[in-house]
Amino acid sequence: MHRLVANTRKSFFDQGYLDEQFVQLEELQDNSNPNFVEEVVTLFYRDSARLLYNLDQALEKRPLDFNKLDSLMHQFKGSCSSIGAKKVKIECTNFKAYCNARNAEGCKRTFHHAKREYTTLKKKLESYFQMLRQVGPTEMACRPR
Amino acid sequence: MNLGGGQVVNKQSMMPSSSCASWKSTAGGGSSGGGGGDGGVPDQFPAGLRVLVVDDDPTCLKILEKMLRNCNYEVTKCNRAEVALTHLRENKNGFDVVISDVHMPDMDGFKLLEHIGIEMDLPVIMMSADDSKSVVMKGVTHGACDYLIKPVRIEALRNIWQHVVRKRKHEWKDFEPSASADEQKPPEEPDYSSSANEGHNWKNTKRRKEEDDEAEERDDSSSLKKPRVVWSVELHQQFVAAVNQLGIDKAVPKKILELMNVPGLTRENVASHLQKYRLYLRRLSGSQHPGGMNTGFMGSPEAGYGSISSLNGLDLQALAASGQLGQLPPQSLATLQAAALGRSNNSKSPISVPVIDQRNIFSFENPKRYTEVQSQHLPNSSNSKPMNLLPGIPTNMEPKQFVSLHQSGQHSFGSMNNQVLIQMGGQNQIQSQTQSQGQGQGQVQVSTNPHHGLRQPVLSSEMLTRGGVVDLATTVYNPVVSQASSLVDFSMNHKTDSSGNSYPLGGSLGISNITSTSSTLQGDVNLDTKVSRRGIVPSYDIFNDLNQNGYRDWGLQDVGGLTFDQSPVLLQHNRPSGQEIGGQNRNLTSNKVIFSPGVETGAHRNGSNIGQPRNSYVGENPLRVKAESLNDGSSHNTLYPDHYSQDDLLTAILKQQQQQEGVGQPENEFGFDGYALDNLPV
């Protein structure tokens, strides 16, 4: 089981779902905050749901307000980067590029991708944390990457 | 968001704080009070650093909080800028450094940065996921100490203490020449200012010193310190004249001293004053370019050399005013101004007339001074609209105006500018009259809007366009002067006229940290105060001990000391026509003055109005500067004696400081008795 956990974790990095920032979070976890990573991720998903909703709404408007979209996406991107959600962040960057180019289609498309990545990561992390709980906190100590 | 959280942290960081003197001070004020003050614990600097984190993203906020806690810092988190400002205002010395996000829904991070710079003069670190050069540059121009790119790593946070140390060190430098107390500290500076490795050394030395000296400082601060030099208006004028004569570049303390030929004045006194003056000038010129601010005082400088400053001044005042009142006008400008003015004293300080007077005095004083300064900068020739920084201080008129303004406006000092302007409008008739000044009466008129409260932004924009508030101010004031009815209260103003310089400013200057742009001039004055204050105020402050006394005196202290440096605006105004401008400026300044005192009143009042004026002064300066620019033509300024130059203002400021110190009375601003630069490193 431990190996499974370790491998799962490793796969996140290998496949590009998570980046170095996630490691920073892991390193912050300690005895006083034994579930720090999970707490942060949970908070992220809860808060970002609101941001995604706003983005959805903004993308429904006609015509599109690119400045607003850029601003909303900026917030979302910042959040993603703080937990190390690499793939989602990449899509956010693409979205912003399309926004700057005032490309509505591009924006919608990349937003769709971003949401997909976001949901995928959420599922993966949820199962990962569940695994961790089963394994015990010690598992989180010094993981090789 | 949770002060409690921050405080809880104390446990972790308490220890260190107790060891350092600065910690002690902070301990008292901040959360770290808990175990502090023992002095028994070895320095663990930078542990215990009190950080305020502001970010609307809860995920980031949580992560940052954890990271900072892991660095053994005391963390307080806020998800809203307004809340953060409230925290900062309530705990003047409660924090050492602020970390803020750039993009926030309720207030732009840069606005918050401005506010903090003006009100509290704390180091502020900006952060954002946006790493584009323009945004980073904006951070730099707005005075951020550092700029972190998100996602932030813990390593980046470990070294933020350096900004605190650096700032204090810088402040100390200002103090050093003049303050005896400083002597003790300076030696230590090199220790801690260097890298973290040396922090230990610094800590040790500091701690030792602190422990030993703290008591001394507190008790005998006066004895430890050298006898303060009171930079009266006259004295300051002489100083500025000497500097002008020599040329700002060539002005060395020795020569200035010789030119001034003032018995009892030492080269050291002059050197320290010169330093402040230079900072002030730098700030004035520096504030000119930042583009962004515009709404607030910062932006204004762009508008016009003089005008901007005036804007700033107004803004500051407004901020100050509002600050005092405790209301934070939504507009950043207003807030800024309020902050500037009252620095967060936020109490709804009733802008009592007396207070205003003091403030006015400052404004008057400052303008005068500034005008001179400006002339230095700009060979004044062109200043048709003299930078009214100071010039605006119309002798009595302005004060009155302000008074009325205050009374009317009052609470939203944030828009003090507006209010002032508005009021002026009320006086309107006057305005039209004053229009003679030609300054942009139109602008003034704008201000007259009834909504004085937050008008400032409007005003500022106008002013900017025009050339600054100055016009407004001047015009406004001028007329007012004639009317002088309401403002009569500004006794201060009157006095100024008569005596020519009662600078309440002096006092106020000290108080407000108007570090922000506008009050650069005040900076001079403030420098003194500021310096001292800074020492005290800074959260970490080792200097606190030194400043102990200063601390209490000044309302400013809370503010963080008026850093005149920031009010370059003032300096910029060159008052072409000495008197007139001055007169007008005076008005302006006085307006400013008004605000600040009011604002301050609530908060730090030293208990004397003087204290307030200081704050206002800070705010005022910006106004004043503007006033100066306005002055282009007000003929009626004859009210103001020539000497109301920037020097006067400075003197006024200084006076105010004195007053705050309890030296003078608010009323007699003009007669600066010479205020001791108490503020200086106490």
Side-chain angles (χ1 to χ4, degrees):
Chain A
M1 185 60 172
H2 291 201
R3 193 172 315 139
L4 182 59
V5 167
N7 286 342
T8 307
R9 180 182 170 279
K10 188 163 181 297
S11 74
F12 285 145
F13 295 107
D14 293 341
Q15 292 170 24
Y17 285 102
L18 294 175
D19 63 24
E20 169 63 23
Q21 187 63 18
F22 190 79
V23 178
Q24 290 267 312
L25 297 189
E26 288 176 329
E27 284 170 358
L28 287 174
Q29 188 158 296
D30 54 21
N31 290 340
S32 62
N33 292 83
N35 300 312
F36 184 73
V37 184
E38 189 178 353
E39 285 168 15
V40 172
V41 171
T42 307
L43 179 59
F44 164 73
Y45 274 100
R46 192 180 334 130
D47 185 64
S48 56
R50 172 182 57 89
L51 294 173
L52 285 176
Y53 174 78
N54 290 344
L55 274 161
D56 264 323
Q57 292 287 298
L59 279 167
E60 294 297 321
K61 293 203 193 315
R62 296 286 175 276
L64 290 183
D65 179 353
F66 287 106
N67 288 339
K68 178 113 174 94
L69 283 172
D70 185 76
S71 168
L72 287 171
M73 181 48 80
H74 181 81
Q75 293 179 48
F76 180 65
K77 183 183 169 189
S79 256
C80 292
S81 66
S82 66
I83 68 156
K86 194 169 173 183
K87 286 196 174 186
V88 189
K89 186 175 159 189
I90 290 169
E91 296 300 332
C92 292
T93 307
N94 293 343
F95 180 96
K96 285 190 113 194
Y98 280 117
C99 237
N100 284 344
R102 300 297 192 256
N103 184 330
E105 263 316 301
C107 283
K108 292 192 194 135
R109 197 170 56 242
T110 51
F111 183 61
H112 184 70
H113 292 165
K115 276 198 289 186
R116 196 178 54 202
E117 291 296 340
Y118 171 88
T119 312
T120 304
L121 180 65
K122 184 178 182 187
K123 292 199 187 97
K124 283 180 181 284
L125 285 175
E126 273 171 359
S127 64
Y128 173 70
F129 287 127
Q130 200 163 11
M131 237 189 287
L132 278 178
R133 260 177 262 132
Q134 290 168 17
V135 168
T138 53
E139 205 56 24
M140 295 305 290
C142 55
R143 300 169 280 269
R145 279 233 278 151
Chain B
M1 211 136 64
N2 30 24
L3 275 181
Q7 281 161 2
V8 171
V9 180
N10 290 348
K11 310 189 270 211
Q12 306 176 8
S13 46
M14 281 302 255
M15 308 266 272
S17 51
S18 53
S19 51
C20 311
S22 58
W23 287 119
K24 284 187 199 177
S25 54
T26 53
S31 46
S32 51
D38 312 349
V41 182
D43 287 279
Q44 293 175 24
F45 178 83
L49 194 71
R50 298 160 307 163
V51 186
L52 177 68
V53 184
V54 189
D55 194 338
D56 62 313
D57 183 338
T59 311
C60 282
L61 207 54
K62 185 181 170 79
I63 296 172
L64 281 169
E65 184 190 29
K66 182 72 176 115
M67 283 181 172
L68 290 165
R69 293 249 171 96
N70 279 15
C71 293
N72 290 326
Y73 294 158
E74 263 180 47
V75 187
T76 304
K77 46 179 192 177
C78 278
N79 62 351
R80 293 195 56 242
E82 298 286 345
V83 175
L85 272 175
T86 307
H87 277 335
L88 288 166
R89 290 187 182 131
E90 283 168 2
N91 275 322
K92 278 298 179 165
N93 283 342
F95 299 99
D96 299 311
V97 62
V98 179
I99 301 180
S100 171
D101 187 34
V102 167
H103 299 277
M104 290 190 287
D106 65 330
M107 186 192 292
D108 180 36
F110 294 117
K111 274 278 160 285
L112 177 65
L113 170 59
E114 283 178 34
H115 281 286
I116 296 174
I118 296 172
E119 295 185 38
M120 296 111 200
D121 194 36
L122 286 176
V124 181
I125 296 170
M126 303 302 295
M127 57 175 181
S128 177
D130 190 349
D131 61 350
S132 60
K133 189 174 149 207
S134 61
V135 181
V136 178
M137 177 62 81
K138 207 172 165 195
V140 172
T141 56
H142 282 56
C145 290
D146 203 353
Y147 193 101
L148 305 176
I149 307 294
K150 284 183 176 177
V152 178
R153 295 173 62 90
I154 192 168
E155 291 81 19
L157 296 176
R158 279 195 206 283
N159 284 336
I160 62 173
W161 61 267
Q162 63 176 293
H163 302 295
V164 177
V165 170
R166 193 176 294 123
K167 211 166 178 88
R168 309 280 329 119
K169 182 183 179 197
H170 181 70
E171 289 176 5
W172 273 111
K173 271 194 180 153
D174 289 346
F175 282 117
E176 207 187 272
S178 44
S180 51
D182 292 336
E183 294 165 3
Q184 302 171 27
K185 306 253 193 256
E188 312 205 358
E189 285 184 28
D191 296 339
Y192 58 75
S193 52
S194 49
S195 67
N197 294 339
E198 303 185 347
H200 181 68
N201 295 339
W202 166 81
K203 283 185 297 183
N204 291 338
T205 43
K206 179 164 109 51
R207 184 156 40 108
R208 188 179 54 237
K209 191 167 92 74
E210 310 231 44
E211 288 165 14
D212 297 339
D213 304 340
E214 265 178 44
E216 290 181 24
E217 310 264 26
R218 301 215 179 90
D219 305 339
D220 308 321
S221 45
S222 46
S223 57
L224 289 178
K225 292 184 300 207
K226 291 193 214 166
R228 281 193 293 235
V229 170
V230 172
W231 280 95
S232 66
V233 177
E234 295 84 16
L235 199 61
H236 181 74
Q237 280 177 359
Q238 278 181 278
F239 169 83
V240 178
V243 170
N244 287 343
Q245 197 173 324
L246 293 166
I248 190 69
D249 295 328
K250 293 204 188 60
V252 288
K254 192 161 187 299
K255 292 202 179 132
I256 298 173
L257 188 64
E258 285 166 12
L259 274 177
M260 285 175 71
N261 196 18
V262 171
L265 193 67
T266 67
R267 194 204 71 84
E268 231 180 77
N269 300 138
V270 174
S272 109
H273 194 68
L274 177 66
Q275 192 171 17
K276 298 202 181 72
Y277 189 64
R278 284 219 176 100
L279 281 167
Y280 167 76
L281 295 182
R282 202 180 309 140
R283 204 177 294 188
L284 280 188
S285 55
S287 60
Q288 300 208 339
H289 52 272
M293 311 242 270
N294 14 326
T295 39
F297 43 94
M298 305 288 243
S300 22
E302 322 256 357
Y305 198 64
S307 52
I308 300 186
S309 39
S310 47
L311 272 182
N312 291 339
L314 289 175
D315 293 337
L316 283 178
Q317 287 194 358
L319 285 175
S322 49
Q324 290 187 353
L325 293 180
Q327 315 173 352
L328 256 190
Q331 290 133 20
S332 49
L333 241 188
T335 324
L336 281 178
Q337 297 193 355
L341 289 176
R343 278 286 198 123
S344 55
N345 290 329
N346 354 312
S347 28
K348 283 290 200 170
S349 52
I351 304 219
S352 52
V353 175
V355 171
I356 300 178
D357 288 349
Q358 295 183 353
R359 287 191 286 198
N360 290 333
I361 300 186
F362 282 113
S363 47
F364 284 140
E365 307 280 343
N366 285 328
K368 292 218 234 144
R369 270 203 234 238
Y370 293 115
T371 47
E372 289 200 52
V373 177
Q374 294 172 355
S375 47
Q376 291 178 18
H377 295 279
L378 312 177
N380 143 94
S381 42
S382 40
N383 297 325
S384 51
K385 297 244 185 192
M387 307 261 229
N388 304 328
L389 288 174
L390 294 179
I393 305 191
T395 45
N396 323 336
M397 308 198 288
E398 295 173 347
K400 301 203 198 119
Q401 296 177 356
F402 286 106
V403 175
S404 52
L405 285 176
H406 283 292
Q407 296 164 4
S408 51
Q410 15 350 152
H411 67 123
S412 35
F413 274 99
S415 38
M416 294 277 291
N417 293 330
N418 295 318
Q419 293 180 356
V420 171
L421 292 174
I422 296 178
Q423 299 232 343
M424 301 295 211
Q427 320 241 306
N428 324 174
Q429 333 156 359
I430 306 184
Q431 292 188 343
S432 48
Q433 302 167 20
T434 49
Q435 294 295 328
S436 54
Q437 299 152 24
Q439 287 132 1
Q441 303 225 330
Q443 296 183 350
V444 174
Q445 322 252 332
V446 175
S447 49
T448 52
N449 311 332
H451 54 219
H452 14 262
L454 302 180
R455 264 341 189 58
Q456 295 201 334
V458 176
L459 287 177
S460 354
S461 49
E462 291 198 46
M463 297 214 262
L464 285 173
T465 51
R466 289 266 327 221
V469 179
V470 176
D471 291 337
L472 282 175
T474 45
T475 48
V476 174
Y477 293 148
N478 291 324
V480 176
V481 175
S482 50
Q483 313 237 339
S485 44
S486 50
L487 297 178
V488 182
D489 291 326
F490 288 108
S491 50
M492 309 209 304
N493 294 327
H494 297 295
K495 297 203 200 178
T496 40
D497 294 346
S498 45
S499 49
N501 313 330
S502 41
Y503 282 109
L505 292 176
S508 51
L509 284 180
I511 316 180
S512 41
N513 269 316
I514 301 205
T515 46
S516 47
T517 55
S518 44
S519 6
T520 320
L521 272 185
Q522 303 183 347
D524 286 349
V525 176
N526 289 334
L527 284 180
D528 297 326
T529 43
K530 204 177 44 146
V531 174
S532 50
R533 280 261 237 176
R534 290 264 201 113
I536 312 183
V537 178
S539 36
Y540 256 164
D541 47 73
I542 342 184
F543 306 112
N544 263 334
D545 296 317
L546 286 183
N547 293 323
Q548 290 292 334
N549 43 42
Y551 183 67
R552 18 180 185 87
D553 295 338
W554 305 316
L556 288 179
Q557 291 202 343
D558 307 333
V559 183
L562 291 177
T563 42
F564 283 114
D565 300 340
Q566 310 227 350
S567 49
V569 176
L570 287 176
L571 289 178
Q572 300 176 349
H573 294 296
N574 288 323
R575 238 181 355 115
S577 46
Q579 306 290 284
E580 301 182 342
I581 303 178
Q584 306 211 337
N585 292 334
R586 279 195 251 188
N587 292 327
L588 287 178
T589 45
S590 54
N591 291 333
K592 297 198 212 171
V593 172
I594 305 182
F595 296 118
S596 29
V599 178
E600 292 291 341
T601 29
H604 310 279
R605 291 277 264 132
N606 295 291
S608 59
N609 289 333
I610 303 182
Q612 303 201 331
R614 285 206 277 215
N615 293 321
S616 51
Y617 184 71
V618 175
E620 295 182 345
N621 288 329
L623 284 178
R624 280 210 268 186
V625 171
K626 301 190 197 161
E628 297 196 332
S629 45
L630 286 178
N631 280 331
D632 41 72
S634 32
S635 44
H636 64 270
N637 300 333
T638 47
L639 287 177
Y640 300 103
D642 282 313
H643 59 274
Y644 262 105
S645 51
Q646 296 176 345
D647 286 349
D648 292 340
L649 283 176
L650 280 176
T651 320
I653 301 175
L654 289 174
K655 243 193 198 23
Q656 292 238 336
Q657 290 183 351
Q658 292 177 3
Q659 294 174 351
Q660 297 202 345
E661 305 291 342
V663 177
Q665 324 69 46
E667 297 309 298
N668 72 23
E669 297 61 37
F670 288 94
F672 265 106
D673 306 270
Y675 46 99
L677 291 175
D678 295 343
N679 301 322
L680 291 185
V682 175

